[in-house]
Amino acid sequence: MGSCIPFDDNTSFAQRVKTLADNELLEIWEETQQIERLLQSELHVDVSIAPDYEKVIVEELSLRACRESRL
């Protein structure tokens, strides 16, 4: 998952997603969903570990899809 080059800590997640491949974005999304489900089932609480990650990933993938459809 992800790039072998570490991100600059000052770079926002929204900027980081622009450098990742589609499959890497989907992996991050899937992994955060799995972690949330595991925590919810183990702790029996409604927890969201990365609410903005999903939004940013979906927006980036949608933007890429729009760009590809224009070509």
Side-chain angles (χ1 to χ4, degrees), residues 10-39:
N10 296 323
T11 305
S12 70
F13 182 72
Q15 288 298 322
R16 293 175 186 183
V17 299
K18 296 179 186 317
T19 65
L20 299 173
D22 292 355
N23 64 329
E24 292 173 319
L25 292 175
L26 293 172
E27 285 179 21
I28 292 169
W29 188 5
E30 180 182 11
E31 289 173 4
T32 57
Q33 295 299 311
Q34 289 173 351
I35 292 168
E36 282 182 3
R37 281 192 299 274
L38 176 67
L39 289 173

